[in-house]
Amino acid sequence: ICASAILTEAILSFLGAGVSTEIPTWGNIIAEGRVYFLLKPSLIFWPGLMLSLCILSVNLLGDAARDALDPRLQRREA
């Protein structure tokens, strides 16, 4: 749920329907870099990559927490 909230906020900010443009969010940073895409593509590449890594890390952390704390999963392994 946390990763989908991060992605939803980034999408809404990119489209201009999220938080104010003065606040630096993943979507706002990518949207501002879109203007200069042909001159410097890294303005979109690096924030997009960091957004992807952030979402991946949140998902992996959630999976690890579930594996460690879920009592039903521990009963099946025993």
Side-chain angles (χ1 to χ4, degrees):
I1 291 181
C2 184
S4 63
I6 293 170
L7 185 60
T8 301
E9 187 279 326
I11 291 170
L12 288 174
S13 293
F14 179 78
L15 295 175
V19 296
S20 175
T21 57
E22 291 85 29
I23 299 173
T25 64
W26 294 118
N28 285 339
I29 293 169
I30 294 171
E32 289 177 12
R34 180 180 53 171
V35 177
Y36 304 105
F37 178 70
L38 293 176
L39 297 174
K40 189 141 177 130
S42 63
L43 292 176
I44 293 179
F45 175 75
W46 292 114
L49 180 66
M50 292 300 114
L51 174 62
S52 300
L53 290 176
C54 178
I55 291 171
L56 177 65
S57 65
V58 167
N59 279 332
L60 291 176
L61 183 65
D63 288 344
R66 184 200 62 220
D67 291 345
L69 301 174
D70 190 7
R72 291 177 287 171
L73 185 62
Q74 292 174 355
R75 272 190 262 138
R76 281 189 227 146
E77 292 177 355

